[in-house]
Amino acid sequence: MPNSGTHSETQSGTSSGISADGVSRRSALRRMGGAIMVVAAVTTGLPSLAQASPRRPERGAGRRVEALLGRLTLDEKLTFLHGADDPQDLGQAGYIPGVPRLAIPPLRLADGPAGVRVTKHATALPAPVLLASSFDPALARRYGEVIGREGRALGQDVLLSPMVNLIRTPYAGRNFETFSEDPLLSGDMVTEEIGGIQDKGLIATVKHFALNNQEKDRTSVDVRADEQTMHELELRGFEAAVGAGAGSVMGSYNKVNGTPACDNKELLDDILRGQWHFAGWVMTDWYATHTTVAGMAAGLDMEMPGELAFGAALKKAVKDGTVPEAQVDGAVRRILSVMDRFGLLSGKVPARPGRDAAAGAAVALDIAKAGATLLHNRGRTLPLPEGRSVAVLGPTGYVPFVSGGGSAHVVPDHADSPYEAIKSRNSKGGSATYALGSDIFGKALPGGALSPAADLEERAVAAGETWSYEGTLTTGEADDWTFVIHYSGERPKVVLDGTELFPKLPGSAEYFSGGLVSGAPDGLSVRRKSLDLKAGSHRLEITAKGGDKGQTFRLRRVTGATRADDVAEAVRAARGADSVVLFAYEDATEGSDRASLALPDLQEALIVAVAQANPRTTVVLNTSSAITMPWLDQVGAVLQMYYPGQEGAAATAAVLYGDCDAGGRLTQSFPTSEATHPMSGDLRRYPGVNGVEEYSEGIHLGYRWYDAQHVEPLFPFGHGLSYSSFAYEDLTARWTSGRGLEVRFTVRNTGRRAGVAVPQVYVGPSPDLEVDQAVRVLGGYRRTELEAGERRRVTVHVAPRTLSSWDSERHGWVLGTGRRTVWLGASAGDLLLRTDAVVERKKGK
């Protein structure tokens, strides 16, 4: 291989990336105006507690904890081990009442993967997957600090986040809530986010422990994985979280190798506490309690959100000797010890700060811009030209897509319209128009279709009253209809031809239905029902109750005819503009997986029609995870923004117009089709067969699978374009005993403007290990911002842990010695330079 490589980031293709095996030090990356700067990445793979957080656990419980434990009655002890109703409910997820007579305060537990989820306003941060796309752990620290401060300000004590489960299947409904398919990047991000959260006095909970990588059958599926796969992939992020001092761990719903995760002694006792020396407490996911005796014996400490197994049933088990009271004491001791670490047992709860909404918004904006990932850019479609006309299309071009559904939902301080942000940014000599393109909230029922006539567009029902309608809906021709109900109270009952259109949904689907499509712009809840409707008359019955507060509802429709009209309007707008920005969406949520990797609701047809009318079309993706793009070659550019938070409109406009570089890189591989990804073609891998899901791909997850199978993805892990271009030169690698591999190289901005490179270091297998190994693994990375013409000398350390494999026979890590290949690239699919280094074991080891 030559000793230099050039990567152009202005065309469609892979991108650049860098980071390290640990903590990014952006403060060291001061620009030096074209001079060469040496930057050392201080990384360890799994940081020590001293590095990670000042709120680190102490060995054993303190005297204060032991004194309190000795004064607690059995009934008082049990109140710590299960949730209760909060007499001053703030809309949080859980509550532990405390013991007032001993001045032990209550604990309030709030969801918060992308901001604090209570009924009050909070900063709606970008989705964690967008944060991770920055490849900048320092931003994860700032992300955590915002949540930590706001959690305390909003009356919370425990945050039910971050989530560090790996992205294994592109269908998983919560991929946007986590970080990556790569354990190193995930570990780096979770370490820094926990540090930020807990530095502000909020207790962090890492979740979901473990192997919770899908929502399909999540409460019952038995996940089977071998020891090596578990330790090298899924468990590594949790180990990093423990190393960062996380106060709590949340057990997952699923079984792990035959045993429910919350009853799993191997996970909770042998690994979490035995191998990793975790000193905090373990709680269940909500309603994930299975047993009393086995749960306590396995090391479970707290069930949520109420009392199923750890209340009266546990008291009985203690009284009859089935559960030793010492086990109860151990659980309470762990909870009190964490509370003591955070100053909650001193007799005076630490003062709560005020919210700083402006500071939170500034961080949200920085992260949304840093994680914006330019996937495709043909013919310099982006940045958008100044002072020209632009057509903005798509529902999320007008209605901001802030966050996903379920636990990730946040009540934002504000959320601006992307169309308004683009129009404001293009105000100097330019113009912007908007067309819907794809309707998700429906149009009023056609006049004259109802007999007797009724206004179903803004129907108010007073408190305590019931409004009903019986009549006929007449359609002129057969068509596919989607009925859309908007409502502010109890969902109205709508029956068409004897079939209820909006019945209560089973399980969590009733409550978790998305972050965009489940709520109208004016705040009303939304449900849909699609069906083929024949021409003629249809019996329609509606019953709506006002309840205690009264309600407003509207019944609307989307049909094949209205869809055609919307597309035609969008095409006209596209033809009349110099450039087009088409916002496409996919709405994911906790509780369900995606059924397809295609964009929903005929958006693909819309993209094709618009691109044919104007090839200078940029597609902005507000999606949760990887999608397929059969339309890719027809559009000029694709910008991945995921769910960008409350500042998403401003961030998107800034990137589109080149006010900042598109600095993000993919944290997951994008497949070319439904048939070309690690889970395709094997139902045992996903979603499982007969209740069993098998990680038969072993350690070959994500980009590792694509390498092993010689399958080319649509976009590889680490991909992302810049508005500039970069060259990589002078790659060297050497073994440093105890520190790992020291990899050094030069990055040079060869473009005409400032830009972001993210060079990535990958390491090949060891010739001395007989265990299964990947073709290559991410060893380190470094986000690097360079002025035009600037060059910088960078050092990335690949930690010994990254160079090691788990030996299932020895039940431990083994360093992979011998000659290892080291690649430097712009992504997992764009490897530019290569060298070798010999890894050696310490003498006497």
Side-chain angles (χ1 to χ4, degrees):
M1 294 284 287
N3 67 352
S4 65
T6 301
H7 177 72
S8 174
E9 303 199 36
T10 58
Q11 301 299 316
S12 178
T14 40
S15 77
S16 68
I18 300 183
S19 156
D21 205 329
V23 179
S24 160
R25 302 282 189 251
R26 293 189 73 193
S27 60
L29 303 183
R30 299 191 184 98
R31 294 174 178 169
M32 297 293 285
I36 295 178
M37 177 185 289
V38 176
V39 182
V42 180
T43 64
T44 63
L46 291 171
S48 69
L49 297 179
Q51 290 173 317
S53 172
R55 297 185 183 277
R56 56 187 181 271
E58 304 295 336
R59 291 187 178 275
R63 285 179 293 179
R64 177 159 43 208
V65 169
E66 293 298 341
L68 288 171
L69 189 60
R71 297 175 64 189
L72 290 169
T73 67
L74 177 59
D75 286 335
E76 288 171 336
K77 292 174 186 177
L78 295 178
T79 63
F80 290 96
L81 307 190
H82 62 80
D85 293 331
D86 187 352
Q88 298 176 326
D89 188 21
L90 300 172
Q92 80 277 5
Y95 175 74
I96 295 292
V99 181
R101 75 176 182 89
L102 297 179
I104 301 176
L107 288 176
R108 290 183 169 89
L109 301 82
D111 287 318
V116 183
R117 185 182 181 231
V118 293
T119 53
K120 296 182 179 180
H121 289 278
T123 300
L125 292 160
V129 70
L130 183 56
L131 165 67
S133 298
S134 71
F135 274 67
D136 189 349
L139 281 178
R141 170 73 65 157
R142 294 176 62 195
Y143 190 96
E145 288 172 347
V146 169
I147 297 176
R149 176 179 178 130
E150 293 203 343
R152 291 279 300 146
L154 292 167
Q156 305 305 300
D157 306 290
V158 181
L159 183 77
L160 304 173
S161 188
M163 175 179 174
V164 77
N165 301 103
L166 294 182
I167 296 175
R168 177 173 177 263
T169 169
Y171 300 102
R174 301 183 80 172
N175 282 348
F176 68 95
E177 285 191 57
T178 191
F179 301 115
S180 173
E181 70 186 23
D182 181 77
L184 171 63
L185 178 61
S186 296
D188 289 349
M189 302 307 289
V190 77
T191 293
E192 290 303 297
E193 184 179 343
I194 286 173
I197 292 167
Q198 297 197 156
D199 281 352
K200 297 300 181 181
L202 193 66
I203 300 168
T205 305
V206 64
K207 64 184 186 183
H208 309 86
F209 193 58
L211 304 184
N212 182 189
N213 305 104
Q214 67 184 56
E215 294 299 280
K216 173 69 173 174
D217 300 326
R218 66 174 181 170
T219 61
S220 60
V221 67
D222 182 6
V223 183
R224 306 284 178 86
D226 63 62
E227 194 174 307
Q228 182 186 6
T229 298
M230 288 175 60
H231 281 274
E232 290 192 20
L233 296 180
E234 175 79 355
L235 296 187
R236 192 167 173 189
F238 288 98
E239 186 179 2
V242 170
S248 179
V249 169
M250 181 187 292
S252 57
Y253 289 113
N254 52 282
K255 300 181 182 74
V256 176
N257 293 326
T259 303
C262 291
D263 283 355
N264 198 305
K265 184 178 184 299
E266 179 185 5
L267 285 177
L268 305 187
D269 193 36
D270 299 347
I271 295 174
L272 186 61
R273 294 197 173 99
Q275 294 179 21
W276 300 346
H277 308 294
F278 175 59
W281 85 82
V282 178
M283 72 176 78
T284 67
D285 205 336
W286 267 223
Y287 302 104
T289 313
H290 296 276
T291 63
T292 299
V293 177
M296 286 297 298
L300 181 64
D301 301 311
M302 179 188 292
E303 67 168 332
M304 277 290 169
E307 174 190 339
L308 292 174
F310 280 15
L314 180 54
K315 181 177 181 180
K316 180 178 182 300
V318 171
K319 292 296 187 181
D320 66 22
T322 309
V323 172
E325 190 167 355
Q327 288 185 357
V328 173
D329 289 347
V332 176
R333 180 180 290 110
R334 287 186 284 269
I335 296 166
L336 292 177
S337 293
V338 175
M339 293 179 69
D340 199 29
R341 278 171 52 197
F342 284 78
L344 301 179
L345 299 184
S346 62
K348 183 178 181 182
V349 175
R352 296 187 182 273
R355 279 195 67 217
D356 189 339
V363 172
L365 179 61
D366 285 349
I367 291 170
K369 291 191 294 186
T373 307
L374 184 59
L375 300 178
H376 173 78
N377 192 21
R378 186 180 65 229
R380 298 180 184 270
T381 298
L382 294 180
L384 293 175
E386 298 280 355
R388 306 292 291 275
S389 61
V390 59
V392 179
L393 311 176
T396 52
Y398 196 86
V399 178
F401 199 155
V402 177
S403 62
S407 301
H409 176 71
V410 177
V411 182
D413 288 307
H414 66 268
D416 297 332
S417 163
Y419 165 63
E420 296 295 340
I422 291 170
K423 184 169 67 172
S424 176
R425 177 58 184 77
N426 195 38
S427 61
K428 296 180 180 179
S431 63
T433 58
Y434 176 76
L436 180 62
S438 177
D439 191 355
I440 58 177
F441 296 117
K443 295 174 173 57
L445 294 177
L450 294 177
S451 178
D455 181 9
L456 299 182
E457 181 59 16
E458 293 293 340
R459 173 63 62 179
V461 184
E465 294 188 359
T466 298
W467 182 89
S468 62
Y469 173 86
E470 294 186 11
T472 301
L473 169 68
T474 302
T475 60
E477 58 185 21
D479 201 350
D480 58 305
W481 278 58
T482 297
F483 288 91
V484 187
I485 186 82
H486 301 212
Y487 56 98
S488 63
E490 179 183 335
R491 186 160 66 247
K493 182 177 182 180
V494 180
V495 179
L496 185 73
D497 294 334
T499 300
E500 186 174 352
L501 296 184
F502 311 106
K504 184 176 180 179
L505 299 174
S508 60
E510 175 66 20
Y511 310 101
F512 299 146
S513 56
L516 174 72
V517 301
S518 64
D522 61 357
L524 270 63
S525 298
V526 176
R527 289 291 189 274
R528 295 165 183 77
K529 175 65 176 181
S530 297
L531 67 163
D532 292 328
L533 211 57
K534 296 179 180 179
S537 298
H538 302 271
R539 185 69 179 169
L540 180 65
E541 303 169 63
I542 303 172
T543 304
K545 297 179 179 180
D548 295 335
K549 300 180 180 179
Q551 79 155 314
T552 298
F553 80 91
R554 60 182 78 103
L555 182 64
R556 292 180 170 181
R557 99 292 190 194
V558 179
T559 68
T562 66
R563 291 187 185 98
D565 290 343
D566 289 336
V567 171
E569 180 190 19
V571 168
R572 287 192 296 270
R575 286 198 182 111
D578 294 309
S579 299
V580 175
V581 180
L582 193 161
F583 285 79
Y585 74 91
E586 172 267 316
D587 196 2
T589 183
E590 175 183 356
S592 62
D593 284 344
R594 302 157 64 193
S596 170
L597 301 186
L599 289 169
D601 298 334
L602 304 179
Q603 290 181 93
E604 291 185 347
L606 172 66
I607 292 171
V608 170
V610 167
Q612 289 175 348
N614 189 331
R616 293 191 65 81
T617 293
T618 295
V619 177
V620 177
L621 294 173
N622 293 132
T623 59
S624 67
S625 188
I627 64 166
T628 51
M629 303 182 199
W631 40 263
L632 179 64
D633 291 339
Q634 300 180 55
V635 302
V638 179
L639 178 65
Q640 175 62 267
M641 292 299 298
Y642 297 104
Y643 303 153
Q646 68 179 48
E647 306 301 321
T652 302
V655 174
L656 288 173
Y657 280 95
D659 299 340
C660 62
D661 200 11
R665 303 295 184 263
L666 288 182
T667 70
Q668 58 196 295
S669 309
F670 276 39
T672 57
S673 72
E674 306 265 3
T676 55
H677 58 78
M679 301 298 109
S680 59
D682 190 342
L683 295 179
R684 294 172 302 172
R685 289 186 183 177
Y686 177 83
V689 176
N690 296 325
V692 176
E693 175 195 6
E694 299 178 7
Y695 282 33
S696 58
E697 73 277 14
I699 64 167
H700 304 286
L701 173 68
Y703 66 88
R704 305 177 187 205
W705 180 88
Y706 287 93
D707 283 342
Q709 298 298 318
H710 306 288
V711 174
E712 185 175 352
L714 180 65
F715 296 113
F717 173 87
H719 169 73
L721 307 179
S722 167
Y723 293 143
S724 192
S725 58
F726 301 91
Y728 302 95
E729 303 165 337
D730 302 326
L731 173 66
T732 65
R734 69 183 185 92
W735 172 251
T736 57
S737 183
R739 190 87 184 276
L741 286 178
E742 180 184 83
V743 182
R744 306 185 74 227
F745 51 89
T746 298
V747 185
R748 180 163 53 93
N749 185 339
T750 58
R752 297 182 178 180
R753 55 168 290 163
V756 176
V758 189
Q760 299 152 43
V761 173
Y762 294 85
V763 182
S766 162
D768 297 338
L769 293 181
E770 296 182 358
V771 301
D772 193 18
Q773 298 180 74
V775 174
R776 63 184 63 88
V777 300
L778 180 68
Y781 54 92
R782 172 69 63 154
R783 182 183 177 91
T784 308
E785 300 176 14
L786 297 170
E787 296 287 353
E790 183 182 0
R791 65 174 61 196
R792 184 172 300 154
R793 190 70 175 162
V794 177
T795 300
V796 168
H797 287 98
V798 183
R801 169 60 65 84
T802 301
L803 298 167
S804 300
S805 294
W806 184 269
D807 188 325
S808 297
E809 292 186 359
R810 302 185 187 183
H811 306 294
W813 293 97
V814 179
L815 180 66
T817 56
R819 186 169 297 277
R820 310 285 293 266
T821 301
V822 177
W823 290 270
L824 174 65
S827 75
D830 189 11
L831 304 174
L832 302 168
L833 300 177
R834 172 179 173 174
T835 189
D836 295 323
V838 176
V839 175
E840 299 175 337
R841 192 173 282 107
K842 285 184 180 181
K843 292 182 179 180
K845 296 290 185 179

